[in-house]
């Protein structure tokens, strides 16, 4: 068995992995950025190593720093969690070359599934159909038009080398084809470094149903059951559940068998997920996620299996000792993601800060996988998932009611959270009746009246610490020691210079009252396209520029008609929420 596992991640997933390692008697090594030096995953691990840096790129994605921590700690395996290095084959190969086990699939499987054209082809070769479409990169928008005319509109343009929702454009007719292809290629290039896109029929009311698989290095591949992740907004999942409601068992069996075929076709081992779109009783292969997923606890609660434990055993070379027919599924599980985001008005804007209070739910059938405790700070630099609340009950209605009860017990102060939005979703009759699809939150659910007020807001300055180098002598030997000291103890901090435009306080973008001529952005991001010039006439609602934020392209629209008198940004500019980009008079 593995002896010491380094967890190359942070937050709730690092905590999740540490817990199972402890139960299995495996040593745990945490790594941390400067901002995470007191984080929960660091507190729980047996030992911890500083990576330095603040942003993910400087810390959790710093290969050299992580390799050094592996070396120092003597870890014999690395668990990558999700995100970060979980699907990075260079990293997997680099550690494997050092004799360290990567707790994940073979790199070749990550490669085949990492690119949607090759994964589509691999699935097709295994006899599993994707959405009807073309498995070649598009050369021009004429091909988009030709496909739409042949198969019917709407159609979807997708990034071949993409993932998640990034780079997908829906095209409703021939006149939208050129602009959609251009935008899809631009997004694909900026996110994935390659601009190849392909085309598929667009399903208008699908459910997102994914199948969990588990495969070992001895040729055993099992499917464990599905999760319905249809309840999402802008490709961020909000609620996941298993089993999927109104999902016939023969479809489940067929989808399970299809997932096993896809996974075998790429020589997979480890835990994995095969995603499908499900509409009108038919399912279509979408992509395969070659990692442990955020929502894996849903499957753990219905099967009673610890997926992290099985990842560890499989990585150590053990064979899965049970067969497909021995996998049992009981009752119903649901997961709600609790993010530090303000769902007011349905906007879900990031709300980083210190959790001044965190009352955790408990009682029958409740599991909370949190990455934070009261007093911890959610940084703007990382994913803002605070915790996953997962419940189990005998049936769907029992799980729904239990989730509402547990959400009510969960009290977080200091930051805004998605809990109020989850409560609205779970109380809605469409959710209770399970008539929702992937389009439901964005198209039907109305969160415009939701207003969240953060209670117990933290004083940002209080407790702020700064890094200072101090020379110390220990037993006569000289050491340079770094100390994190309260800001107040090290004298005045000189404000960093730079002529910054004064920013309006609390510039949330939406201006109350009459439509403003100052077009502002709602959130922090990068301007990728400017569509107007000084002197242009614009109409109310017309798009003036495109903002890339939260992994998506967002149209920034004029609020009133008039003439453009100022354009304050150009492509590539970084902007903050509330910044004025264009002035219309
Ligand atoms: C689709 C689709 C409809 N038709 N493909 C979005 C993310 C990416 N993984 C695939 N996605 C979709 N592909 C065709 N041909 C609808 C979606 C989709 C979606 C899929 C899964 C979960 C949520 C979604 C939300 C919107 C659109």
């Amino acid at each position: 068995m593995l002896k010491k596992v380094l967890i190359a991640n942070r937050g709730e997933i690092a905590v999740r992995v540490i817990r199972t390692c402890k139960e299995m008697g495996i040593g745990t090594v945490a790594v941390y950025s400067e901002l995470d030096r007191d984080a929960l995953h660091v507190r729980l691990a047996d030992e911890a190593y500083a990576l330095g840096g603040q942003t993910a790129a400087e810390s959790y994605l710093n290969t050299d720093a992580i390799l050094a921590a592996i070396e120092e700690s003597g870890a014999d395996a690395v668990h990558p969690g999700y995100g970060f290095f979980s699907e990075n084959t260079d990293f997997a190969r680099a550690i494997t070359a050092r004799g360290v086990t990567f707790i994940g699939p073979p790199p070749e499987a990550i490669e085949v599934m990492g690119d949607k054209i090759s994964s589509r082809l691999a699935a097709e070769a295994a006899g599993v159909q994707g959405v009807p479409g073309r498995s070649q990169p598009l050369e021009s928008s004429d091909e988009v038009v030709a496909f739409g005319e042949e198969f019917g509109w709407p159609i979807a343009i997708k990034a071949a080398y993409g993932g998640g929702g990034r780079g997908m454009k829906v095209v409703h007719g021939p006149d939208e084809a050129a602009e959609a292809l251009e935008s899809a290629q631009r997004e694909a290039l900026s996110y994935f470094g390659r601009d190849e896109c392909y085309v598929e029929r667009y399903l208008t009311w699908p459910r997102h149903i994914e199948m969990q698989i588990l495969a070992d290095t001895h040729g055993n591949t099992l499917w464990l059951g599905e999760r319905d992740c249809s309840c999402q907004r802008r490709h961020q999942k909000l609620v996941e559940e298993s089993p999927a409601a109104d999902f016939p068992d023969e479809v489940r069996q067929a989808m399970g068998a299809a997932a096993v075929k896809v996974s075998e076709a790429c020589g997979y081992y480890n835990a994995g997920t095969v995603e499908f779109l499900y509409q009108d009783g038919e399912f279509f292969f979408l992509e395969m996620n070659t990692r442990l997923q955020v929502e894996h606890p849903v499957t753990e609660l219905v099967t009673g299996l610890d997926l992290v434990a099985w990842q560890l055993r499989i990585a150590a070379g053990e064979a899965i000792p049970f067969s497909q027919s021995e996998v049992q599924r009981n009752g119903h599980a649901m997961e709600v993601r609790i993010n530090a985001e303000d769902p007011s008005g349905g906007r879900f804007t990031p709300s980083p800060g210190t959790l001044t209070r965190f009352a955790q739910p408990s009682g029958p059938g409740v599991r909370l996988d949190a990455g934070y405790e009261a007093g911890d700070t959610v940084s703007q630099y990382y994913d803002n998932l605070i915790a996953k609340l997962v419940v189990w009950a005998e049936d769907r209605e029992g799980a729904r009611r239990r989730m509402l009860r547990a959400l009510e017990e969960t009290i977080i102060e200091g930051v805004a959270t998605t809990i109020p939005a989850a409560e609205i979703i779970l109380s809605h009759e469409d959710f209770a009746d399970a008539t929702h699809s992937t389009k439901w939150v964005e198209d039907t659910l109305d969160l415009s009246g939701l207003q969240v007020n953060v209670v117990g807001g933290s004083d940002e300055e209080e407790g702020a610490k700064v890094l200072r180098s101090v020379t110390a002598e220990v037993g006569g030997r000289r050491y340079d020691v770094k100390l994190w000291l309260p800001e107040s103890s090290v004298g005045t901090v000189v404000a960093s210079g730079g002529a910054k435009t004064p920013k309006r306080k609390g510039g949330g973008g939406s201006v109350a009252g009459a439509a403003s001529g100052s077009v502002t952005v709602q959130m922090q991001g990068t301007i990728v396209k400017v569509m107007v010039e000084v002197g242009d006439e614009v109409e109310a609602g017309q798009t003036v520029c495109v903002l890339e934020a939260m992994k998506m392209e967002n149209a920034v629209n004029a609020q009133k008609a008039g003439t453009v008198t100022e354009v304050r940004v150009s492509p590539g500019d970084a902007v903050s929420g509330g910044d004025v980009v264009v002035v219309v008079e």
Side-chain angles (χ1 to χ4, degrees):
M1 198 42 192
L2 307 172
K3 291 193 174 57
K4 198 191 254 197
V5 171
L6 181 143
I7 300 99
N9 215 304
R10 65 179 305 284
E12 69 84 18
I13 194 62
V15 170
R16 163 75 192 85
V17 173
I18 290 168
R19 285 181 169 146
T20 287
C21 288
K22 288 195 173 188
E23 290 171 10
M24 295 174 77
I26 299 171
T28 52
V29 182
V31 290
Y32 60 95
S33 67
E34 283 177 8
L35 297 168
D36 278 343
R37 63 185 186 279
D38 293 324
L40 183 59
H41 75 283
V42 175
R43 303 200 291 272
L44 290 179
D46 298 330
E47 47 187 302
Y49 291 82
L51 299 172
Q54 302 207 335
T55 64
E58 294 163 354
S59 54
Y60 299 100
L61 290 170
N62 181 342
T63 308
D64 291 339
I66 292 180
L67 291 176
I70 296 169
E71 185 85 27
E72 280 276 303
S73 63
D76 56 358
V78 173
H79 195 301
Y82 50 73
F84 296 139
F85 281 138
S86 59
E87 291 169 288
N88 185 311
T89 51
D90 289 342
F91 179 78
R93 290 190 170 107
I95 68 162
T96 310
R98 285 166 167 77
V100 174
T101 303
F102 179 70
I103 303 166
E108 296 75 20
I110 301 178
E111 278 159 3
V112 172
M113 292 302 161
D115 136 20
K116 285 201 268 180
I117 291 194
S118 87
S119 65
R120 239 185 100 97
L121 290 169
E124 256 166 48
V128 177
Q129 296 308 308
V131 182
R134 300 186 45 206
S135 303
Q136 301 105 36
L138 289 161
E139 304 271 321
S140 80
S141 64
D142 297 344
E143 294 172 17
V144 176
V145 175
F147 183 86
E149 297 298 324
E150 186 181 340
F151 287 84
W153 305 94
I155 57 116
I157 302 178
K158 298 185 172 188
Y161 297 91
R166 285 152 270 174
M168 184 174 93
K169 296 288 157 201
V170 181
V171 190
H172 299 93
D175 49 327
E176 292 174 17
E179 171 133 14
L181 180 60
E182 189 201 321
S183 173
Q185 288 176 334
R186 192 169 54 237
E187 271 191 28
L189 187 63
S190 82
Y191 292 124
F192 314 115
R194 300 192 53 164
D195 71 357
E196 287 93 332
C197 291
Y198 68 100
V199 67
E200 277 179 6
R201 260 189 56 210
Y202 182 70
L203 307 177
T204 48
W205 198 249
R207 285 159 72 189
H208 170 135
I209 300 187
E210 57 185 32
M211 187 58 70
Q212 177 70 52
I213 63 104
L214 192 64
D216 64 22
T217 53
H218 302 266
N220 303 301
T221 305
L222 307 181
W223 60 270
L224 305 183
E226 81 284 5
R227 293 183 290 257
D228 187 329
C229 308
S230 301
C231 198
Q232 59 83 47
R233 174 190 170 273
R234 296 197 178 186
H235 310 293
Q236 300 265 41
K237 292 169 186 166
L238 303 169
V239 182
E240 300 104 346
E241 62 182 308
S242 186
D246 295 324
F247 191 60
D249 196 55
E250 62 265 27
V251 179
R252 174 178 300 109
Q253 301 287 331
M255 186 181 279
V260 167
K261 279 197 249 171
V262 169
S263 138
E264 285 175 341
C266 65
Y268 200 83
Y269 52 81
N270 182 44
T273 300
V274 184
E275 294 186 352
F276 297 92
L277 288 178
Y278 177 65
Q279 186 176 294
D280 306 323
E282 283 187 294
F283 62 84
F284 306 97
F285 171 78
L286 202 51
E287 52 193 86
M288 179 168 184
N289 297 319
T290 54
R291 58 169 189 275
L292 184 71
Q293 283 190 280
V294 177
E295 59 271 27
H296 75 275
V298 165
T299 304
E300 295 188 320
L301 293 191
V302 294
T303 60
L305 297 167
D306 179 330
L307 292 180
V308 173
W310 283 107
Q311 285 190 293
L312 297 170
R313 294 189 191 109
I314 289 166
E318 278 186 36
I320 301 170
F322 50 86
S323 65
Q324 186 65 58
S325 61
E326 290 171 289
V327 177
Q328 295 198 357
R329 285 172 296 278
N330 285 309
H332 199 102
M334 254 180 214
E335 173 178 285
V336 160
R337 299 189 189 197
I338 301 175
N339 287 79
E341 285 173 16
D342 183 348
S344 292
R347 284 184 300 272
F348 294 84
T349 38
S351 176
T354 299
L355 310 182
T356 53
R357 183 171 175 214
F358 188 178
Q360 305 202 339
S362 65
V366 174
R367 164 174 168 181
L368 186 80
D369 278 23
Y372 302 83
E373 289 176 337
D376 291 340
T377 299
V378 180
S379 161
Q380 59 163 336
Y381 288 115
Y382 317 116
D383 187 297
N384 57 30
L385 182 65
I386 300 171
K388 303 180 307 202
L389 177 52
V390 203
V391 303
W392 182 92
E394 277 178 26
D395 56 24
R396 188 173 190 269
E397 181 58 9
R400 189 184 72 85
R401 287 167 171 274
R402 181 162 277 171
M403 180 63 86
L404 282 166
R405 185 269 293 172
L407 284 167
E408 197 182 316
E409 284 180 31
T410 311
I411 300 170
I412 296 178
E413 293 177 1
V415 301
T417 76
T418 48
I419 291 175
E423 288 175 329
I424 291 173
I425 290 169
L426 281 137
S427 320
H428 199 288
E429 62 170 348
D430 291 355
F431 185 87
D433 297 344
T435 56
H436 62 290
S437 81
T438 52
K439 308 291 284 294
W440 181 71
V441 174
E442 282 163 50
D443 294 0
T444 308
L445 186 69
D446 183 8
L447 295 174
S448 62
L450 180 59
Q451 180 56 49
V452 174
N453 296 309
V454 181
V455 272
S458 61
D459 178 353
E460 292 269 325
E461 301 311 314
E462 196 194 343
K465 289 184 181 164
V466 288
L467 188 63
R468 286 286 172 268
S469 289
V470 174
T471 306
E473 276 182 20
V474 180
R477 188 169 161 194
R478 200 167 179 281
Y479 288 90
D480 286 328
V481 183
K482 284 183 182 169
L483 294 176
W484 286 94
L485 298 172
E487 211 163 48
S488 51
S489 74
V490 294
T492 322
V493 179
V494 180
S496 60
K500 257 196 177 168
T501 337
K503 231 189 292 166
R504 272 184 319 168
K505 266 256 164 186
S510 55
V511 180
S516 164
S518 296
V519 184
T520 58
V521 292
Q522 302 228 341
M523 52 198 153
Q524 181 193 333
T526 307
I527 300 294
V528 291
K529 191 175 183 184
V530 177
M531 297 158 87
V532 292
E533 290 173 16
V534 170
D536 284 0
E537 295 295 322
V538 293
E539 286 170 24
Q542 184 176 334
T543 301
V544 295
C545 60
V546 179
L547 172 75
E548 177 207 300
M550 295 166 72
K551 303 172 184 168
M552 298 280 295
E553 286 197 355
N554 303 273
V556 181
N557 300 334
Q559 281 188 300
K560 66 167 198 181
T563 309
V564 175
T565 57
E566 268 186 75
V567 175
R568 298 196 188 169
V569 290
S570 32
D573 285 358
V575 291
S576 307
D579 281 0
V580 176
V581 289
V582 168
V583 178
V584 178
E585 271 167 20

